[in-house]
Amino acid sequence: MALLERDPAPAAEAPDTHSVIVRARLLRRSRTIGVTLVLAAVAFALFVGTMMIGSFTVTPWEVVRATFGFESDGGINYVVRDLRLPTAATALAVGLAMGLAGIIFQRLLANPLASPDFVGVSSGASFFAVGSIVMLNFQGELVSVAALVGALVAAFLVYVLAWRDGITGYRFILIGIGVSQFFLAGSGYVLSRADLYNAREAMTWLVGAVGQAGDTELRVLLVSLAIVLPIVFVLSRQLSALELGDDTAKALGARVEPMRVALMLTAVVLIALATATAGPMAFVALIAGPIAARLVGAGGSGLLAAAFVGAIIVLTADLVAQHALPSQLPTGVITGAIGAPYLIWLLVSVNREGRGG
Amino acid sequence: MTDREIPPPVALAAADAPSRHHDLRARDLTLGYNGVDIVHSLDLDVPDGKVTVIVGANGCGKSTLLRGLVRLLKPRSGAVELDGQPLKEWNSTEIARVMGLLPQNPVAPDGITVADLVGRGRYPHQGWFRRWSAEDDAAVEIALAATHTTELAGRTLAELSGGQRQRVWIAMVLAQDTDLVLLDEPTTFLDISHQVDLLDLLDELNTEHGKTVVMVLHDLNLACRYAQHIVAMKDGHIIAQGSPTDIITAEVVQDVFGLPCQVVPDPVTGTPLVVPLGRSRAAAPTAP
């Protein structure tokens, strides 16, 4: 009787709120997807664009055909595939890897300053890579391995030193800065022991340039990107639980410690291989995530978007470094010049909000 | 027909699963941090389907006990048992479908919207490959409606007032769709009217949605008013437990908080009302 009386009302009302909430969710999702697709398109356009410009201009269609192996003209094939593709592919892959690694760290540690640049991972990779070049005469994939080991050692050190009944972003970053300084000092020591030629090589490498990449390092990076990207996609669900803090994540049933270690490992592998390929490209990992988050809007996940923003930054920086200035510069100089003012702005605004960085 | 039997809004009742019975208990439970024991071989049966409030002075171990009950702390000895089985033998996802927690200082990512945050409560109902479903949408909608936050769904958490934010966090725990809801000092940063609002909401969740509620509260008078079962702790032990009317006496308050007081009936509800004497004025009580 009572049931009969109140049945019709909700049927009219309930689907209403329901559809509003569902529509809002779908809207957010389509914005995330839309923004990500646009960023991907921009990254691809830049990727093609860098291969068009030079002393010999190539049309976009020729670039695409040559890149994917459908071009019959030997001259164009040579210019695109042999001269320009390695640099462009490096810029693309390095940017993707750094953008992704940056946002994983930032979201995991709930702090925009928590980029691998600052928490010692990049400098650990640099120290081991420079050390292996200068002191052990390593080349090719061995440098990648050394950088990977260095990044893992640095990340492990910071993790262990910062762990106290869990990880808090603030502790992790402060200890990371300390570890970072330690490895920077180490790199300085190694350089001071090197002969002039090696030291100059190592310095160029330390600034970071996509043009210096060797084929092997690039191939290692591309393969690992292909492996790590799906893993990150699967772990993104865990990441969105971990972001709510250890207590909430545990209460939601997430296995906090193994998942955090897994996510950090993927980010460390990405940053290490990217660093091994093109040097520690300053600030790319730091700025890609926040830019992507702003574009995707509140509530978007933005992992892929951050990867594409990273690629756009590195590709643009490389274009500027190679063509827009009177003399060619290493890519890292340009990313540094963009990144440093952003960092200052970030520090000022974070302090103003009283979140204490 | 009494007030209790007035049916809840139908949109909620229809979609709410009938509440299942659960049995949460601590057996000889010792908890602590960094080698120091804080809760000592404690036994507690959480009454099913009731609102239980844990009270005690600062540092008495009440939050520690709550953290132990939801496996945020591993027992140093003894065990917490859910439906007769120690928590460590449970799968953590299974526990998360039975017990939800609102921690003392929950953190949210910058710029997150209310709907997104509440949706993350669905975590234990999703899997590696099973992502968002219509069932998740329904659960979020119910949680928002039950906490009266539906109209906030599109806002970001940062824009909300303290009271609204706390409601949204509770909505996230509700979206988890658990029969037990545990809250660690949910009213701490709220002013008095928002404290009452929030406790009314939790009372509603208990009476209308059949949730078993366990929380730590600081305010003894509010605890007496909203608890059906009160647990008074001191130095890691339970001093007294039972219905507020039975156990909150001047002697117990003196013992648990070291506070000289009179206990009078609350003029509104008749539950015990603790009136502190205040140390400087205790010497000159005015007899009624």
Side-chain angles (χ1 to χ4, degrees):
Chain A
M1 168 72 179
L3 265 173
L4 284 178
E5 276 167 14
R6 56 197 165 83
D7 238 348
E13 199 189 340
D16 204 18
T17 42
H18 190 76
S19 68
V20 168
I21 289 165
V22 172
R23 210 179 307 134
R25 182 174 61 75
L26 292 178
L27 202 72
R28 279 201 312 279
R29 218 184 80 190
S30 47
R31 175 165 174 187
T32 306
I33 294 172
V35 167
T36 308
L37 285 177
V38 169
L39 289 171
V42 172
F44 184 74
L46 283 165
F47 174 67
V48 172
T50 49
M51 290 191 276
M52 291 162 54
I53 311 170
S55 49
F56 180 82
T57 309
V58 187
T59 67
W61 182 231
E62 285 165 342
V63 167
V64 173
R65 275 206 317 251
T67 304
F68 295 103
F70 298 118
E71 179 59 53
S72 48
D73 185 323
I76 290 172
N77 262 334
Y78 173 73
V79 168
V80 173
R81 289 185 70 87
D82 295 342
L83 295 184
R84 296 180 187 167
L85 183 58
T87 307
T90 306
L92 182 69
V94 164
L96 287 172
M98 286 186 165
L100 199 54
I103 198 169
I104 290 174
F105 264 90
Q106 285 161 337
R107 285 182 59 185
L108 210 48
L109 298 169
N111 196 311
L113 285 173
S115 121
D117 291 345
F118 289 120
V119 296
V121 179
S122 305
S123 44
S126 302
F127 172 58
F128 274 61
V130 168
S132 74
I133 294 170
V134 169
M135 302 178 78
L136 305 170
N137 289 318
F138 275 16
Q139 280 176 333
E141 70 268 29
L142 282 178
V143 179
S144 296
V145 172
L148 184 57
V149 170
L152 288 173
V153 166
F156 178 77
L157 256 179
V158 178
Y159 200 93
V160 167
L161 290 173
W163 203 91
R164 187 190 279 169
D165 292 323
I167 292 285
T168 59
Y170 196 52
R171 255 178 88 75
F172 194 96
I173 292 163
L174 285 182
I175 286 170
I177 290 172
V179 169
S180 181
Q181 289 304 315
F182 172 78
F183 283 119
L184 285 177
S187 296
Y189 171 77
V190 169
L191 281 175
S192 72
R193 306 276 295 185
D195 64 54
L196 205 57
Y197 176 77
N198 271 345
R200 192 167 175 280
E201 285 294 291
M203 274 314 290
T204 320
W205 188 88
L206 273 177
V207 175
V210 291
Q212 73 189 0
D215 269 1
T216 333
E217 292 102 315
L218 176 58
R219 209 159 295 145
V220 172
L221 176 60
L222 287 173
V223 168
S224 56
L225 260 179
I227 296 169
V228 167
L229 273 176
I231 295 178
V232 170
F233 183 70
V234 170
L235 289 179
S236 68
R237 200 176 81 85
Q238 271 71 24
L239 180 56
S240 63
L242 288 177
E243 273 185 305
L244 303 177
D246 287 11
D247 285 0
T248 310
K250 240 178 251 179
L252 287 172
R255 285 170 305 154
V256 170
E257 218 60 57
M259 287 306 147
R260 181 163 47 213
V261 169
L263 277 159
M264 276 201 183
L265 263 182
T266 56
V268 167
V269 166
L270 286 173
I271 204 78
L273 296 177
T275 307
T277 310
M281 200 80 62
F283 296 118
V284 175
L286 176 75
I287 58 184
I291 292 175
R294 198 142 300 180
L295 293 173
V296 166
S301 103
L303 284 175
L304 265 183
F308 287 124
V309 170
I312 291 170
I313 293 171
V314 177
L315 283 162
T316 311
D318 183 51
L319 265 177
V320 173
Q322 284 195 61
H323 305 294
L325 300 172
S327 67
Q328 293 196 359
L329 290 171
T331 328
V333 172
I334 307 295
T335 60
I338 306 166
Y342 167 75
L343 175 63
I344 293 168
W345 175 83
L346 186 65
L347 287 170
V348 170
S349 66
V350 163
N351 266 345
R352 198 174 295 145
E353 285 167 37
R355 287 186 294 133
Chain B
M1 204 178 187
T2 67
D3 284 356
R4 278 288 157 82
E5 288 166 58
I6 290 174
V10 178
L12 305 181
D16 248 354
S19 173
R20 293 135 292 186
H21 292 285
H22 287 289
D23 174 28
L24 179 66
R25 57 181 59 181
R27 283 284 161 269
D28 197 22
L29 180 66
T30 300
L31 299 164
Y33 298 96
N34 306 322
V36 183
D37 288 353
I38 293 173
V39 167
H40 309 280
S41 20
L42 176 147
D43 288 292
L44 172 69
D45 282 31
V46 172
D48 186 37
K50 287 190 178 174
V51 176
T52 299
V53 177
I54 308 171
V55 297
N58 289 334
C60 71
K62 53 191 193 299
S63 283
T64 307
L65 173 59
L66 195 85
R67 292 173 65 80
L69 289 176
V70 283
R71 79 194 177 299
L72 292 185
L73 268 183
K74 282 202 182 101
R76 295 167 72 82
S77 68
V80 176
E81 292 174 7
L82 181 60
D83 299 338
Q85 211 181 351
L87 286 185
K88 62 169 186 242
E89 291 171 18
W90 279 73
N91 171 306
S92 64
T93 306
E94 295 293 325
I95 298 178
R97 289 177 190 165
V98 177
M99 284 199 285
L101 167 77
L102 179 60
Q104 207 168 53
N105 295 305
V107 291
D110 279 348
I112 192 169
T113 61
V114 169
D116 185 10
L117 181 69
V118 174
R120 295 195 188 191
R122 298 300 296 162
Y123 183 88
H125 300 276
Q126 297 164 341
W128 290 96
F129 299 103
R130 205 190 77 68
R131 300 284 165 122
W132 198 264
S133 69
E135 195 186 318
D136 296 326
D137 275 326
V140 168
E141 185 211 339
I142 291 166
L144 289 170
T147 51
H148 316 296
T149 50
T150 308
E151 67 284 1
L152 303 177
R155 309 261 292 274
T156 66
L157 207 63
E159 302 171 61
L160 306 183
S161 72
Q164 289 173 324
R165 204 172 302 158
Q166 202 66 345
R167 281 174 176 278
V168 168
W169 277 110
I170 289 174
M172 192 213 74
V173 178
L174 287 183
Q176 204 175 328
D177 193 21
T178 59
D179 294 312
L180 281 126
V181 175
L182 291 86
L183 307 98
D184 194 354
E185 300 194 12
T187 58
T188 302
F189 299 109
L190 303 179
D191 61 39
I192 180 75
S193 75
H194 286 102
Q195 289 185 22
V196 171
D197 266 1
L198 194 88
L199 292 167
D200 278 340
L201 168 64
L202 293 171
D203 186 60
E204 214 173 286
L205 297 179
N206 171 253
T207 54
E208 289 174 13
H209 299 257
K211 306 279 184 195
T212 301
V213 176
V214 183
M215 63 182 147
V216 170
L217 279 186
H218 255 133
D219 189 309
L220 201 50
N221 291 331
L222 289 176
C224 287
R225 191 180 264 210
Y226 288 95
Q228 291 153 33
H229 189 84
I230 226 167
V231 176
M233 284 183 70
K234 183 188 177 187
D235 300 333
H237 297 282
I238 293 176
I239 297 290
Q241 59 174 318
S243 89
T245 329
D246 292 342
I247 66 151
I248 297 300
T249 60
E251 293 73 40
V252 167
V253 176
Q254 169 75 57
D255 185 16
V256 170
F257 289 94
L259 176 76
C261 68
Q262 284 187 15
V263 174
V264 296
D266 186 319
V268 178
T269 55
T271 51
L273 183 68
V274 176
V275 185
L277 297 182
R279 288 192 181 90
S280 59
R281 298 172 196 207
T286 48

